[in-house]
Each structure stands twice: as C-alpha cells, then as structure tokens.
Amino acid sequence: MLGLVVPGGVVFCSVWLHDWLLPDYARPILVDGGGSGAPAFGEIGVFLIDQIFRGALADVPEVFRLGLTPISNNPENAVISWMIVIYRIAAGAVTAAAGYMIYRVWRGMPNIDRWIRFYEDRLQRAEAGEFTGEQS
C-alpha cells in the first residue's frame, strides 16, 4: 500500500493543487481527449487509477491503447509528466515485488507441513524429557 497509495497521493495532490504548487505555470497539467474541459476531482481519481494499471501491467494498456479515461498527461508539462513516469515505475516495482512474494509463499507451502511435524515431534520429545537441547 505504501508503494502505491503514498506516491499516488503525491501525484493526485500535485495534479489537483497544481495552481498552488506550480503558480504561473502556463502549461496545462492534464489533457482531456474527450474535449469536456478541465478534469474534475473524480476524473483525476480515475486518471490516477489508470496510471496504476498502466504501470503495474508494464505498459500493456499503453501499447494496445486501452484505458479507463480519455484524460492523459500533457507531455509539455515536464514536472507532472516526470512524476507520472516515476509513479508508473513505482507501480511496476510494487507489482513485481507482490508477485515475487506470492511466488515465494506458493513455493514454501509444501514445506510448511513438514516443518510443523518436525517441531511438534521435537516438542513432544522435549516434554517427555528425551530432548536435552544438544541433539541436532
């Protein structure tokens, strides 16, 4: 959650509060491909979710022109565009790390029963007085 929520909050606040954060910056932050004017609060949220999926899915949605919203970043606005690039990299890294952890748990599951039986046996032997702690 920290890999997506906190950086996502930074991007969201930067886009939503761009007038305060970047005063007198003439270039628009986002461009609406649908032509409905400046994006609203909810549209910025959907834009951010779209960026999560694009980063997490290794830009597959970008290649096949799949998206949740017609809103995109304005490439002429370098500050926000680079923040989005970094956010996509973070989303991809978090997804890869989560996938790796799922793989590790999946690979370790068969060994769990064996270790539980091993330690139950050691506990029973220790309670019976057979285990002195020097055996391996």
Side-chain angles (χ1 to χ4, degrees):
M1 292 301 288
L2 288 176
L4 293 177
V5 174
V6 173
V10 170
V11 172
F12 184 87
C13 289
S14 299
V15 171
W16 182 251
L17 302 171
H18 70 278
D19 292 333
W20 175 79
L21 185 65
L22 301 169
D24 300 327
Y25 202 75
R27 296 181 180 106
I29 300 295
L30 299 178
V31 178
D32 187 354
S36 64
F41 187 81
E43 291 174 321
I44 294 173
V46 174
F47 168 76
L48 186 62
I49 292 170
D50 191 40
Q51 296 306 309
I52 292 171
F53 288 126
R54 288 173 188 251
L57 298 175
D59 289 332
V60 170
E62 192 83 30
V63 171
F64 292 104
R65 292 190 177 98
L66 304 172
L68 302 175
T69 180
I71 299 172
S72 64
N73 65 297
N74 183 359
E76 293 178 5
N77 188 321
V79 174
I80 298 298
S81 294
W82 277 108
M83 286 180 71
I84 291 171
V85 167
I86 292 168
Y87 184 63
R88 281 188 178 185
I89 291 170
V94 167
T95 302
Y100 177 73
M101 292 304 296
I102 289 170
Y103 169 76
R104 294 288 297 175
V105 168
W106 175 72
R107 291 283 295 155
M109 290 300 288
N111 296 326
I112 289 175
D113 289 335
R114 182 175 52 121
W115 283 105
I116 289 173
R117 284 191 304 275
F118 173 75
Y119 284 114
E120 283 176 343
D121 181 52
R122 286 184 63 163
L123 181 63
Q124 288 174 355
R125 287 186 5 214
E127 288 174 348
E130 298 175 18
F131 182 69
T132 61
E134 295 174 6
Q135 300 172 350
S136 57

